[in-house]
Every structure is written in C-alpha cells, then in structure tokens.
Amino acid sequence: MNGTVSLQKVLGPMLRGKIDGRAHYGPLCSHLSRFRPGSLVQFDFQGVEDLSASWIAATLIPLLSWASLTEIDLYFVLTGVFGTDKRWEDEFELVATREHVAFLVAAPEVPATFCLVGELDAILFDTLRLVQSHREVTGAALRRLVPDENIGATAWSNRLKDLHTMRLVRRTTRGREQLYSTVVEVNFDGTWCSGVAGGDVSAADAT
C-alpha cells in the first residue's frame, strides 16, 4: 500500500531542532507501521511553517536506517520541499552531504519525476543510473552489461546493497537472485539535482 503522509497533520507545522526531532521520530515510526513492506511513502511538507537541518538529522536520518530493516522495508520520497522562500532544499542538502546520503525529492521541472538532493559517491551515482537505464538488474547482470569495468559481480552487488540501504533502489528475491530496481524515476540532469560528489559522472491516502 503506497500513500502520502502529511507531516504538518501528523507532527505539526514546526519541525525544528534536535530535541523535537528525536521526540517526533517514535510517533512517525508508529504512524508508518500501517504501511506494508515494500510501500512507497510520500512525505508531504506542505503546510509546514518551519524546518531545520537539525530536525532532519534527528528524524529522517535514523528513519532511513529503520526503513531498511527487512521487516519494515519502506521507501520514501519528499514533496513540498522546493519552491518555499526559506529554501528548505538547502537544509536537506546540508544534512545529506554531512551524512553521506541522498534524498529523493519531487522535481519542480518535470511532473512525476524526482531528483537527488545530496551528493552520492561517484560510483554509487553511476550505479543508480545503470539501474534506472536497465529497469531491473543483479550484480551478475551489471558485470555482463558493463564489461569494460574491471570489477566482478560481487563488487556490483555490494554497490547495489549500498543503494538499497539508502532507500534509493528496491530489492526483491527471485530464487537465488536478488534483483534491484528503481524506486521512482530520477531526473539526473535537472537543475535541482545535487548529483555526484566530486563532479559529473557519465498517492494514495493523505493522512
């Protein structure tokens, strides 16, 4: 079951500070428990009046780790972030860069597409582009698809696992294989896409 969570309705309009962030973490996990494993949840920031980097770090960073647990397995995208006069995207980018993660945020340029806010390691950025290009891959498949890369299937699998832990790709098991696919369509070349560290590399129920 996919769905949308209005953070203003669940937590209130003020999302500021480490103390409030830690206090909000538990109730937010409890609220998300109604979603089945594998669900895509939109965190809607519309109606939020204030937001700080310390709140993001105290709430959303541990939430990513919690969501990666096998029994939870939730994926998140953020909406209502761009277009505010307070430039909340800067707060997300600050936290994402410091914590070495990337957030999937609704892109303002193209409807139904998302951009990365934060800077991925160049290797992971390139791997994510390959997953999106081929729709569904395994480590062994990437080894065959990119023969010029002097790495084995295990190394490709490790990259895919890292992206999965960051909630940027889905993982399903089919027999002995672990298959990875994109969570949403990412606009890698959009104006708002933070992209890669160190340079360029080739809705359901609202609550």
Side-chain angles (χ1 to χ4, degrees):
M1 177 181 68
N2 298 333
T4 300
V5 173
S6 168
L7 294 178
Q8 185 271 330
K9 291 181 180 178
V10 174
L11 302 176
M14 307 299 290
L15 307 180
R16 289 196 60 83
K18 183 186 298 184
I19 294 175
D20 283 352
R22 288 175 175 173
H24 286 159
Y25 172 72
L28 190 54
C29 288
S30 178
H31 189 81
L32 291 168
S33 64
R34 68 190 182 96
F35 292 99
R36 293 193 299 267
S39 295
L40 175 64
V41 180
Q42 291 190 36
F43 283 148
D44 185 5
F45 284 83
Q46 290 188 17
V48 172
E49 297 176 8
D50 207 355
L51 173 72
S52 71
S54 57
W55 183 91
I56 297 168
T59 308
L60 297 189
I61 295 301
L63 198 69
L64 290 175
S65 297
W66 174 79
S68 69
L69 297 173
T70 303
E71 64 272 23
I72 306 298
D73 193 33
L74 297 179
Y75 301 86
F76 305 122
V77 295
L78 313 180
T79 61
V81 171
F82 289 114
T84 70
D85 57 0
K86 297 180 180 180
R87 291 192 58 82
W88 288 344
E89 62 270 22
D90 292 344
E91 302 294 308
F92 280 99
E93 185 164 5
L94 175 66
V95 175
T97 301
R98 185 174 62 208
E99 299 291 338
H100 305 290
V101 300
F103 296 104
L104 291 168
V105 183
E109 304 122 320
V110 183
T113 63
F114 295 81
C115 66
L116 294 172
V117 171
E119 294 184 345
L120 280 181
D121 177 272
I123 291 172
L124 294 181
F125 187 85
D126 203 28
T127 303
L128 182 59
R129 296 190 74 149
L130 285 168
V131 175
Q132 181 160 301
S133 176
H134 296 285
R135 299 300 178 185
E136 188 176 70
V137 299
T138 63
L142 287 177
R143 176 68 182 89
R144 294 191 299 269
L145 289 166
V146 194
D148 293 339
E149 289 279 352
N150 190 28
I151 62 172
T154 300
W156 281 114
S157 294
N158 289 336
R159 296 178 183 184
L160 293 167
K161 288 176 183 177
D162 288 344
L163 290 171
H164 178 255
T165 299
M166 297 170 72
R167 308 282 81 193
L168 297 178
V169 297
R170 295 180 180 274
R171 182 172 66 196
T172 57
T173 301
R174 187 179 302 163
R176 293 185 175 183
E177 288 188 318
Q178 290 188 326
L179 296 93
Y180 295 85
S181 59
T182 51
V183 175
V184 292
E185 190 80 7
V186 176
N187 181 15
F188 291 106
D189 302 315
T191 303
W192 298 95
C193 186
S194 303
V196 58
D200 294 332
V201 174
S202 315
D205 304 320
T207 307

